[in-house]
Amino acid sequence: MRKRRDKKKSIAERRFDKHRELHRTIQECAGDILGSDTFQSTRQFIQHGSIPVHRHSIDVARQSLIISRFFHIPVNERELIRGA
């Protein structure tokens, strides 16, 4: 049983890998935006009561990718992310 467990990734490991891949895609497609002074300044503004605009924007981009991939919707991921 131990060998079988070693071969398969745990659910947590798969989730982490998926999260890391989404983060990498967002960084590749919008690294210039993420690093800009203007975007960094959005950390001080609040969206939906308690979430910084900075975090909210990244979350919207990530969820948009997740939805488009889950439903196999053909999208230009770069444009999807940059528009989020």
Side-chain angles (χ1 to χ4, degrees):
M1 187 159 162
R2 178 94 175 150
K3 287 182 183 180
R4 183 176 180 199
R5 191 165 197 234
D6 289 342
K7 288 182 180 180
K8 289 188 174 185
K9 288 186 174 184
S10 71
I11 292 171
E13 288 172 317
R14 286 192 306 262
R15 284 184 183 162
F16 179 76
D17 288 346
K18 190 177 288 188
H19 178 80
R20 185 173 43 199
E21 194 275 325
L22 289 169
H23 178 76
R24 188 178 312 120
T25 301
I26 292 169
Q27 188 66 37
E28 287 172 3
C29 293
D32 59 324
I33 294 172
L34 296 173
S36 73
D37 291 339
T38 302
F39 187 71
Q40 291 300 316
S41 73
T42 63
R43 290 177 186 264
Q44 64 188 349
F45 303 110
I46 303 299
Q47 183 79 16
H48 300 302
S50 62
I51 301 170
V53 171
H54 179 271
R55 178 82 258 149
H56 176 73
S57 299
I58 294 170
D59 289 346
V60 169
R62 189 179 73 249
Q63 289 301 322
S64 297
L65 281 175
I66 290 169
I67 291 167
S68 69
R69 290 176 179 183
F70 181 81
F71 288 109
H72 305 286
I73 300 169
V75 298
N76 180 321
E77 289 188 345
R78 179 177 168 77
E79 290 181 13
L80 181 74
I81 291 167
R82 295 178 74 86

Coordinates of all heavy atoms in Angstrom, one line a residue:
M1 N 0.8 -1.2 0.0 CA 0.0 0.0 0.0 C 0.9 1.3 0.0 O 0.5 2.2 -0.6 CB -0.9 0.0 1.2 CG -1.9 1.1 1.2 SD -3.3 0.7 2.2 CE -4.0 2.3 2.4
R2 N 2.0 1.2 0.6 CA 2.9 2.3 0.7 C 3.4 2.7 -0.7 O 3.4 3.9 -1.0 CB 4.1 2.0 1.6 CG 5.1 3.1 1.7 CD 4.8 4.0 2.9 NE 5.8 5.0 3.0 CZ 5.7 6.1 3.5 NH1 4.5 6.5 3.9 NH2 6.6 7.0 3.6
K3 N 3.7 1.7 -1.5 CA 4.2 2.0 -2.9 C 3.1 2.7 -3.7 O 3.4 3.7 -4.4 CB 4.6 0.8 -3.6 CG 5.9 0.2 -3.1 CD 6.3 -1.1 -3.8 CE 7.5 -1.7 -3.3 NZ 7.9 -2.9 -4.0
R4 N 1.9 2.3 -3.6 CA 0.8 2.9 -4.3 C 0.7 4.4 -3.9 O 0.4 5.2 -4.8 CB -0.5 2.2 -4.1 CG -1.6 2.7 -4.9 CD -2.9 1.8 -4.6 NE -4.0 2.4 -5.4 CZ -5.2 2.1 -5.2 NH1 -5.5 1.3 -4.2 NH2 -6.1 2.6 -5.9
R5 N 0.8 4.7 -2.7 CA 0.6 6.0 -2.2 C 1.8 6.9 -2.7 O 1.6 8.1 -3.0 CB 0.6 6.0 -0.6 CG 0.2 7.3 -0.1 CD -0.1 7.1 1.4 NE -0.9 8.3 1.8 CZ -0.5 9.0 2.9 NH1 0.5 8.7 3.6 NH2 -1.3 10.0 3.3
D6 N 3.0 6.3 -2.8 CA 4.1 7.1 -3.2 C 4.0 7.5 -4.7 O 4.4 8.5 -5.1 CB 5.4 6.3 -3.1 CG 5.8 6.1 -1.6 OD1 5.3 7.0 -0.8 OD2 6.6 5.3 -1.3
K7 N 3.4 6.6 -5.5 CA 3.2 6.8 -6.9 C 2.2 7.9 -7.2 O 2.3 8.7 -8.1 CB 2.8 5.6 -7.6 CG 3.9 4.5 -7.8 CD 3.4 3.3 -8.5 CE 4.5 2.3 -8.7 NZ 4.1 1.1 -9.4
K8 N 1.1 8.0 -6.4 CA 0.1 8.9 -6.6 C 0.3 10.1 -5.7 O 0.7 10.0 -4.6 CB -1.3 8.3 -6.2 CG -1.8 7.3 -7.2 CD -3.2 6.9 -6.9 CE -3.7 6.0 -8.0 NZ -5.1 5.7 -7.8
K9 N 0.1 11.3 -6.3 CA 0.2 12.5 -5.5 C -1.1 12.6 -4.6 O -2.2 12.3 -5.0 CB 0.2 13.7 -6.4 CG 1.5 13.9 -7.1 CD 1.6 15.2 -7.9 CE 2.9 15.4 -8.5 NZ 3.0 16.7 -9.1
S10 N -0.9 13.2 -3.5 CA -2.0 13.4 -2.6 C -2.9 14.5 -3.2 O -2.5 15.3 -4.1 CB -1.5 13.8 -1.2 OG -1.0 15.1 -1.2
I11 N -4.1 14.6 -2.7 CA -5.0 15.7 -3.1 C -4.4 17.0 -2.9 O -4.5 17.9 -3.7 CB -6.4 15.6 -2.4 CG1 -7.1 14.3 -2.9 CG2 -7.2 16.8 -2.7 CD1 -8.3 13.9 -2.1
A12 N -3.8 17.2 -1.7 CA -3.2 18.5 -1.4 C -2.0 18.8 -2.4 O -1.9 20.0 -2.8 CB -2.6 18.5 0.0
E13 N -1.2 17.8 -2.7 CA -0.1 18.1 -3.7 C -0.7 18.4 -5.1 O -0.1 19.3 -5.7 CB 0.7 16.8 -3.8 CG 1.6 16.6 -2.6 CD 2.3 15.2 -2.7 OE1 1.7 14.2 -3.1 OE2 3.5 15.2 -2.3
R14 N -1.7 17.8 -5.5 CA -2.3 18.1 -6.8 C -2.9 19.5 -6.8 O -2.8 20.3 -7.7 CB -3.4 17.1 -7.2 CG -2.8 15.8 -7.6 CD -3.9 14.9 -8.3 NE -5.0 14.7 -7.5 CZ -5.3 13.6 -6.7 NH1 -4.4 12.6 -6.7 NH2 -6.4 13.5 -6.0
R15 N -3.6 19.9 -5.7 CA -4.1 21.2 -5.6 C -3.0 22.3 -5.6 O -3.1 23.3 -6.2 CB -5.0 21.4 -4.3 CG -6.3 20.7 -4.4 CD -7.1 21.0 -3.2 NE -8.4 20.3 -3.2 CZ -9.1 20.1 -2.2 NH1 -8.8 20.4 -1.0 NH2 -10.3 19.4 -2.4
F16 N -1.9 22.0 -4.9 CA -0.8 22.9 -4.8 C -0.2 23.1 -6.2 O 0.1 24.2 -6.6 CB 0.2 22.4 -3.8 CG 1.4 23.3 -3.8 CD1 1.4 24.5 -3.1 CD2 2.6 23.0 -4.4 CE1 2.5 25.4 -3.0 CE2 3.7 23.8 -4.3 CZ 3.7 25.0 -3.6
D17 N 0.0 22.0 -6.9 CA 0.5 22.0 -8.3 C -0.4 22.9 -9.2 O 0.1 23.7 -10.0 CB 0.7 20.6 -8.9 CG 1.8 19.9 -8.2 OD1 2.7 20.5 -7.5 OD2 1.9 18.6 -8.4
K18 N -1.7 22.7 -9.1 CA -2.6 23.4 -9.9 C -2.6 24.9 -9.6 O -2.6 25.8 -10.5 CB -4.0 22.9 -9.7 CG -5.0 23.4 -10.7 CD -6.4 22.8 -10.5 CE -6.4 21.4 -11.0 NZ -7.7 20.8 -11.0
H19 N -2.5 25.2 -8.3 CA -2.4 26.6 -7.9 C -1.1 27.3 -8.4 O -1.1 28.4 -8.9 CB -2.5 26.7 -6.3 CG -2.4 28.1 -5.8 ND1 -3.4 29.0 -5.8 CD2 -1.3 28.7 -5.3 CE1 -3.0 30.1 -5.3 NE2 -1.7 30.0 -4.9
R20 N 0.0 26.5 -8.3 CA 1.3 27.0 -8.7 C 1.2 27.3 -10.2 O 1.8 28.3 -10.7 CB 2.4 26.1 -8.3 CG 3.7 26.6 -8.7 CD 4.8 25.7 -8.2 NE 4.5 24.3 -8.4 CZ 5.1 23.3 -7.7 NH1 6.0 23.5 -6.8 NH2 4.7 22.0 -8.0
E21 N 0.6 26.4 -11.0 CA 0.5 26.5 -12.5 C -0.3 27.7 -12.8 O 0.0 28.5 -13.7 CB 0.0 25.2 -13.1 CG 0.2 25.1 -14.6 CD -0.9 25.9 -15.3 OE1 -2.1 25.8 -14.9 OE2 -0.6 26.4 -16.4
L22 N -1.4 27.9 -12.1 CA -2.3 29.1 -12.4 C -1.5 30.4 -12.1 O -1.5 31.4 -12.8 CB -3.5 29.1 -11.6 CG -4.6 28.0 -12.0 CD1 -5.7 27.9 -10.9 CD2 -5.2 28.3 -13.3
H23 N -0.8 30.4 -11.0 CA 0.0 31.6 -10.6 C 1.1 31.9 -11.6 O 1.3 33.0 -12.0 CB 0.7 31.3 -9.2 CG 1.5 32.5 -8.8 ND1 1.0 33.6 -8.3 CD2 2.9 32.6 -8.8 CE1 2.0 34.5 -8.0 NE2 3.1 33.9 -8.3
R24 N 1.7 30.8 -12.1 CA 2.8 31.0 -13.2 C 2.2 31.5 -14.4 O 2.7 32.5 -15.1 CB 3.4 29.6 -13.5 CG 4.6 29.7 -14.4 CD 5.3 28.4 -14.6 NE 5.5 27.6 -13.4 CZ 5.0 26.4 -13.2 NH1 4.2 25.8 -14.0 NH2 5.3 25.8 -12.0
T25 N 1.0 31.1 -14.8 CA 0.3 31.6 -16.0 C 0.0 33.1 -15.9 O 0.2 33.9 -16.8 CB -1.0 30.8 -16.3 OG1 -0.6 29.4 -16.5 CG2 -1.7 31.3 -17.6
I26 N -0.6 33.4 -14.7 CA -0.9 34.8 -14.5 C 0.3 35.7 -14.5 O 0.4 36.8 -15.1 CB -1.7 35.0 -13.1 CG1 -3.1 34.3 -13.3 CG2 -1.8 36.4 -12.7 CD1 -3.8 34.2 -11.9
Q27 N 1.4 35.2 -13.9 CA 2.7 36.0 -13.9 C 3.2 36.1 -15.3 O 3.7 37.2 -15.6 CB 3.7 35.2 -13.0 CG 4.9 36.0 -12.7 CD 4.7 37.3 -11.9 OE1 3.9 37.3 -11.0 NE2 5.4 38.3 -12.2
E28 N 3.2 35.1 -16.1 CA 3.7 35.2 -17.5 C 2.8 36.2 -18.3 O 3.4 36.9 -19.1 CB 3.6 33.8 -18.1 CG 4.7 32.9 -17.6 CD 4.5 31.4 -18.2 OE1 3.6 31.2 -19.0 OE2 5.3 30.6 -17.8
C29 N 1.5 36.1 -18.1 CA 0.6 37.0 -19.0 C 0.5 38.4 -18.5 O 0.2 39.3 -19.3 CB -0.7 36.3 -19.0 SG -0.8 34.7 -19.9
A30 N 0.7 38.6 -17.2 CA 0.5 40.0 -16.7 C 1.6 40.4 -15.7 O 1.3 41.3 -14.9 CB -0.9 40.0 -16.1
G31 N 2.8 39.9 -15.9 CA 3.8 40.3 -15.0 C 4.1 41.8 -15.0 O 4.4 42.4 -13.9
D32 N 4.0 42.4 -16.1 CA 4.2 43.9 -16.2 C 3.2 44.6 -15.4 O 3.5 45.6 -14.7 CB 4.3 44.3 -17.6 CG 3.0 44.1 -18.4 OD1 2.4 43.0 -18.2 OD2 2.6 44.9 -19.3
I33 N 1.9 44.2 -15.5 CA 0.9 44.8 -14.7 C 1.1 44.6 -13.2 O 1.0 45.5 -12.4 CB -0.5 44.3 -15.1 CG1 -0.8 44.8 -16.6 CG2 -1.6 44.8 -14.2 CD1 -2.1 44.1 -17.2
L34 N 1.3 43.4 -12.8 CA 1.5 43.0 -11.4 C 2.6 43.8 -10.8 O 2.5 44.1 -9.6 CB 1.7 41.5 -11.3 CG 0.6 40.6 -11.7 CD1 1.0 39.1 -11.7 CD2 -0.6 40.8 -10.9
G35 N 3.7 44.1 -11.5 CA 4.8 44.8 -11.0 C 4.7 46.3 -11.0 O 5.6 47.0 -10.5
S36 N 3.7 46.8 -11.7 CA 3.6 48.3 -11.9 C 3.3 49.0 -10.5 O 2.6 48.4 -9.7 CB 2.6 48.6 -12.9 OG 1.3 48.4 -12.4
D37 N 3.8 50.2 -10.4 CA 3.5 51.0 -9.2 C 2.0 51.2 -9.1 O 1.5 51.2 -7.9 CB 4.2 52.3 -9.3 CG 5.7 52.2 -9.2 OD1 6.2 51.1 -8.6 OD2 6.4 53.1 -9.6
T38 N 1.3 51.5 -10.2 CA -0.1 51.7 -10.1 C -0.9 50.5 -9.5 O -1.7 50.7 -8.6 CB -0.7 52.0 -11.5 OG1 0.0 53.2 -12.0 CG2 -2.2 52.3 -11.4
F39 N -0.6 49.3 -10.0 CA -1.2 48.1 -9.5 C -0.8 47.9 -8.0 O -1.7 47.5 -7.2 CB -0.9 46.9 -10.4 CG -1.7 45.7 -10.0 CD1 -3.0 45.6 -10.2 CD2 -1.1 44.6 -9.3 CE1 -3.8 44.5 -9.8 CE2 -1.8 43.5 -8.9 CZ -3.2 43.4 -9.2
Q40 N 0.4 48.1 -7.7 CA 0.8 47.9 -6.3 C 0.1 48.8 -5.4 O -0.2 48.5 -4.2 CB 2.4 48.1 -6.2 CG 3.2 47.0 -6.9 CD 2.9 45.6 -6.3 OE1 2.8 45.4 -5.1 NE2 2.7 44.6 -7.2
S41 N -0.2 50.0 -5.8 CA -1.0 51.0 -5.0 C -2.4 50.5 -4.7 O -3.0 51.0 -3.7 CB -1.0 52.4 -5.7 OG -1.9 52.4 -6.8
T42 N -2.9 49.6 -5.4 CA -4.3 49.1 -5.2 C -4.4 48.2 -3.9 O -5.5 47.9 -3.5 CB -4.8 48.3 -6.4 OG1 -4.0 47.1 -6.6 CG2 -4.9 49.1 -7.6
R43 N -3.2 47.9 -3.3 CA -3.2 47.2 -2.0 C -3.9 48.0 -0.9 O -4.4 47.4 0.0 CB -1.8 46.9 -1.6 CG -1.1 45.8 -2.5 CD 0.3 45.6 -2.0 NE 1.0 44.7 -2.9 CZ 1.2 43.4 -2.7 NH1 0.7 42.9 -1.6 NH2 1.9 42.7 -3.5
Q44 N -3.9 49.3 -1.1 CA -4.5 50.1 0.0 C -6.0 50.4 -0.1 O -6.6 51.0 0.7 CB -3.8 51.5 0.1 CG -3.9 52.3 -1.2 CD -3.0 53.5 -1.1 OE1 -2.4 53.9 -0.1 NE2 -2.9 54.2 -2.2
F45 N -6.6 50.0 -1.3 CA -8.0 50.2 -1.5 C -8.8 48.8 -1.3 O -8.3 47.8 -1.6 CB -8.3 50.7 -2.9 CG -7.5 52.0 -3.2 CD1 -6.4 52.0 -4.1 CD2 -7.9 53.1 -2.5 CE1 -5.7 53.1 -4.3 CE2 -7.2 54.3 -2.8 CZ -6.1 54.3 -3.7
I46 N -9.9 49.0 -0.7 CA -10.7 47.8 -0.3 C -11.9 47.5 -1.3 O -12.5 48.5 -1.8 CB -11.3 47.9 1.1 CG1 -10.2 48.2 2.1 CG2 -12.1 46.8 1.5 CD1 -9.1 47.1 2.2
Q47 N -12.1 46.3 -1.7 CA -13.2 45.8 -2.6 C -14.1 44.9 -1.8 O -13.6 44.1 -1.0 CB -12.5 45.1 -3.8 CG -13.5 44.7 -4.8 CD -13.9 45.8 -5.7 OE1 -13.3 46.9 -5.7 NE2 -15.0 45.6 -6.4
H48 N -15.4 45.0 -2.0 CA -16.3 44.1 -1.4 C -16.2 44.0 0.2 O -16.4 43.0 0.8 CB -16.2 42.6 -1.9 CG -16.5 42.6 -3.4 ND1 -17.6 43.0 -4.0 CD2 -15.7 42.1 -4.4 CE1 -17.5 42.8 -5.3 NE2 -16.4 42.3 -5.6
G49 N -15.9 45.2 0.7 CA -15.9 45.3 2.2 C -14.6 45.0 2.9 O -14.3 45.6 3.9
S50 N -13.9 44.0 2.5 CA -12.7 43.6 3.3 C -11.5 43.1 2.5 O -10.4 42.8 3.0 CB -13.1 42.5 4.3 OG -13.5 41.4 3.6
I51 N -11.6 43.0 1.2 CA -10.5 42.5 0.3 C -9.8 43.6 -0.4 O -10.5 44.4 -1.1 CB -11.1 41.4 -0.7 CG1 -11.8 40.3 0.0 CG2 -10.0 40.9 -1.6 CD1 -12.6 39.4 -0.9
P52 N -8.5 43.6 -0.3 CA -7.8 44.7 -1.1 C -8.0 44.5 -2.6 O -8.1 43.3 -3.1 CB -6.3 44.4 -0.8 CG -6.3 43.7 0.5 CD -7.6 42.9 0.5
V53 N -8.1 45.6 -3.3 CA -8.4 45.5 -4.8 C -7.3 44.7 -5.4 O -7.6 43.9 -6.4 CB -8.4 46.9 -5.4 CG1 -8.5 46.9 -6.9 CG2 -9.6 47.7 -4.8
H54 N -6.1 44.8 -5.0 CA -4.9 44.0 -5.5 C -5.3 42.5 -5.5 O -5.2 41.8 -6.5 CB -3.7 44.3 -4.7 CG -2.5 43.6 -5.1 ND1 -2.2 42.4 -4.5 CD2 -1.5 43.9 -5.9 CE1 -1.0 42.0 -5.1 NE2 -0.6 42.9 -5.9
R55 N -5.7 42.0 -4.3 CA -6.0 40.6 -4.1 C -7.2 40.2 -5.0 O -7.3 39.1 -5.6 CB -6.2 40.3 -2.6 CG -6.6 38.9 -2.3 CD -5.4 38.0 -2.2 NE -5.3 37.2 -3.4 CZ -4.2 36.7 -4.0 NH1 -3.0 37.0 -3.4 NH2 -4.1 36.0 -5.1
H56 N -8.2 41.0 -4.9 CA -9.4 40.8 -5.7 C -9.2 40.6 -7.2 O -9.7 39.7 -7.8 CB -10.4 41.9 -5.4 CG -11.7 41.8 -6.2 ND1 -12.7 40.9 -5.9 CD2 -12.1 42.5 -7.3 CE1 -13.7 41.0 -6.8 NE2 -13.4 42.0 -7.7
S57 N -8.4 41.5 -7.7 CA -8.0 41.4 -9.2 C -7.3 40.1 -9.5 O -7.7 39.5 -10.5 CB -7.2 42.6 -9.6 OG -7.8 43.8 -9.3
I58 N -6.4 39.7 -8.7 CA -5.7 38.4 -8.9 C -6.6 37.2 -8.8 O -6.6 36.3 -9.6 CB -4.5 38.3 -8.0 CG1 -3.4 39.4 -8.3 CG2 -3.9 36.9 -8.1 CD1 -2.3 39.5 -7.4
D59 N -7.5 37.3 -7.8 CA -8.5 36.2 -7.6 C -9.4 36.1 -8.8 O -9.8 35.0 -9.2 CB -9.3 36.4 -6.3 CG -8.5 36.2 -5.0 OD1 -7.4 35.6 -5.1 OD2 -9.0 36.6 -4.0
V60 N -9.9 37.2 -9.3 CA -10.8 37.2 -10.5 C -10.1 36.6 -11.7 O -10.7 35.8 -12.4 CB -11.3 38.6 -10.8 CG1 -12.0 38.7 -12.2 CG2 -12.2 39.1 -9.7
A61 N -8.8 36.9 -11.9 CA -8.1 36.3 -13.0 C -7.9 34.8 -12.8 O -8.1 34.1 -13.8 CB -6.7 37.0 -13.1
R62 N -7.6 34.4 -11.6 CA -7.4 33.0 -11.3 C -8.7 32.2 -11.5 O -8.8 31.2 -12.2 CB -6.9 32.8 -9.9 CG -6.5 31.3 -9.7 CD -5.9 31.1 -8.3 NE -7.0 31.1 -7.3 CZ -7.1 32.1 -6.4 NH1 -6.3 33.1 -6.3 NH2 -8.1 32.0 -5.5
Q63 N -9.8 32.7 -11.0 CA -11.1 32.1 -11.1 C -11.6 32.0 -12.6 O -12.2 31.0 -13.0 CB -12.2 32.7 -10.2 CG -12.0 32.5 -8.7 CD -12.0 31.0 -8.4 OE1 -12.7 30.2 -8.9 NE2 -11.1 30.7 -7.4
S64 N -11.3 33.1 -13.3 CA -11.6 33.1 -14.7 C -10.9 32.0 -15.5 O -11.5 31.3 -16.3 CB -11.3 34.4 -15.3 OG -12.0 35.5 -14.7
L65 N -9.6 31.8 -15.2 CA -8.9 30.7 -15.8 C -9.5 29.3 -15.4 O -9.6 28.4 -16.2 CB -7.4 30.7 -15.3 CG -6.5 31.7 -16.0 CD1 -5.1 31.7 -15.3 CD2 -6.4 31.4 -17.5
I66 N -9.8 29.2 -14.1 CA -10.3 27.9 -13.6 C -11.6 27.6 -14.3 O -11.8 26.4 -14.8 CB -10.5 27.9 -12.1 CG1 -9.2 27.9 -11.4 CG2 -11.4 26.8 -11.6 CD1 -9.2 28.3 -9.9
I67 N -12.5 28.5 -14.5 CA -13.8 28.3 -15.1 C -13.6 28.0 -16.6 O -14.2 27.0 -17.1 CB -14.7 29.5 -14.9 CG1 -15.1 29.6 -13.5 CG2 -15.9 29.5 -15.8 CD1 -15.8 31.0 -13.1
S68 N -12.8 28.8 -17.3 CA -12.6 28.5 -18.7 C -12.0 27.1 -19.0 O -12.4 26.5 -19.9 CB -11.8 29.6 -19.4 OG -10.4 29.5 -18.9
R69 N -11.1 26.7 -18.1 CA -10.5 25.4 -18.3 C -11.4 24.3 -17.9 O -11.5 23.2 -18.6 CB -9.2 25.3 -17.5 CG -8.1 26.2 -18.0 CD -6.8 26.2 -17.1 NE -5.8 27.0 -17.7 CZ -4.6 27.1 -17.2 NH1 -4.3 26.5 -16.1 NH2 -3.7 27.9 -17.8
F70 N -12.2 24.4 -16.9 CA -13.1 23.4 -16.4 C -14.2 23.1 -17.5 O -14.5 22.0 -17.8 CB -13.8 23.8 -15.1 CG -14.7 22.8 -14.6 CD1 -14.3 21.7 -13.9 CD2 -16.1 22.9 -14.8 CE1 -15.2 20.7 -13.4 CE2 -17.0 22.0 -14.3 CZ -16.5 20.9 -13.6
F71 N -14.7 24.2 -18.1 CA -15.7 24.0 -19.1 C -15.2 24.0 -20.5 O -16.0 24.0 -21.5 CB -16.8 25.2 -19.0 CG -17.6 25.1 -17.8 CD1 -17.5 26.0 -16.7 CD2 -18.6 24.1 -17.7 CE1 -18.3 25.9 -15.6 CE2 -19.4 24.0 -16.5 CZ -19.2 24.9 -15.5
H72 N -13.9 23.9 -20.6 CA -13.2 23.8 -22.0 C -13.7 24.9 -22.9 O -14.0 24.7 -24.1 CB -13.4 22.4 -22.6 CG -13.0 21.3 -21.7 ND1 -11.7 21.0 -21.5 CD2 -13.8 20.4 -20.9 CE1 -11.7 19.9 -20.7 NE2 -12.9 19.6 -20.3
I73 N -13.7 26.1 -22.4 CA -14.1 27.3 -23.2 C -12.8 27.8 -23.8 O -11.9 28.2 -23.2 CB -14.7 28.4 -22.3 CG1 -16.0 27.8 -21.6 CG2 -15.1 29.6 -23.1 CD1 -16.5 28.7 -20.5
P74 N -12.8 27.9 -25.2 CA -11.6 28.4 -25.8 C -11.5 29.9 -25.7 O -12.4 30.7 -26.1 CB -11.9 28.0 -27.3 CG -13.3 27.9 -27.4 CD -13.9 27.5 -26.1
V75 N -10.5 30.3 -25.0 CA -10.3 31.7 -24.7 C -8.8 32.0 -24.9 O -7.9 31.2 -24.9 CB -10.6 32.1 -23.3 CG1 -12.1 31.9 -23.0 CG2 -9.8 31.4 -22.2
N76 N -8.5 33.3 -25.2 CA -7.1 33.8 -25.2 C -6.8 34.1 -23.7 O -7.3 35.1 -23.2 CB -7.0 35.0 -26.0 CG -5.6 35.6 -26.1 OD1 -4.9 35.6 -25.1 ND2 -5.2 36.1 -27.3
E77 N -6.0 33.2 -23.1 CA -5.8 33.3 -21.6 C -5.1 34.6 -21.3 O -5.4 35.2 -20.3 CB -5.0 32.1 -21.1 CG -5.8 30.9 -21.1 CD -5.2 29.7 -20.4 OE1 -3.9 29.8 -20.2 OE2 -5.9 28.7 -20.1
R78 N -4.2 35.1 -22.1 CA -3.5 36.4 -21.9 C -4.5 37.5 -21.8 O -4.5 38.3 -20.9 CB -2.5 36.6 -23.0 CG -1.7 37.9 -22.8 CD -0.7 38.1 -23.9 NE -0.1 39.4 -24.0 CZ 0.8 39.9 -23.1 NH1 1.2 39.2 -22.1 NH2 1.2 41.2 -23.3
E79 N -5.4 37.6 -22.8 CA -6.5 38.6 -22.8 C -7.4 38.5 -21.6 O -7.8 39.4 -21.0 CB -7.2 38.7 -24.1 CG -6.4 39.1 -25.2 CD -7.1 39.2 -26.6 OE1 -8.4 39.1 -26.6 OE2 -6.5 39.3 -27.6
L80 N -7.8 37.2 -21.3 CA -8.6 37.0 -20.2 C -8.0 37.5 -18.9 O -8.7 38.2 -18.1 CB -8.9 35.5 -20.0 CG -9.9 35.0 -18.9 CD1 -11.3 35.4 -19.3 CD2 -9.7 33.5 -18.7
I81 N -6.8 37.2 -18.6 CA -6.1 37.6 -17.4 C -5.9 39.1 -17.4 O -6.2 39.7 -16.4 CB -4.7 36.9 -17.3 CG1 -4.9 35.4 -17.1 CG2 -3.9 37.5 -16.2 CD1 -3.7 34.5 -17.2
R82 N -5.5 39.7 -18.5 CA -5.2 41.1 -18.5 C -6.5 41.9 -18.4 O -6.5 43.1 -17.9 CB -4.4 41.5 -19.7 CG -3.0 40.9 -19.7 CD -2.2 41.2 -20.9 NE -1.8 42.6 -20.9 CZ -0.7 43.0 -20.4 NH1 0.1 42.1 -19.7 NH2 -0.3 44.3 -20.4
G83 N -7.6 41.4 -18.8 CA -8.9 42.1 -18.7 C -9.5 41.9 -17.3 O -10.4 42.7 -16.9
A84 N -9.0 41.0 -16.5 CA -9.6 40.8 -15.2 C -9.1 41.9 -14.3 O -9.7 42.3 -13.4 CB -9.2 39.4 -14.6

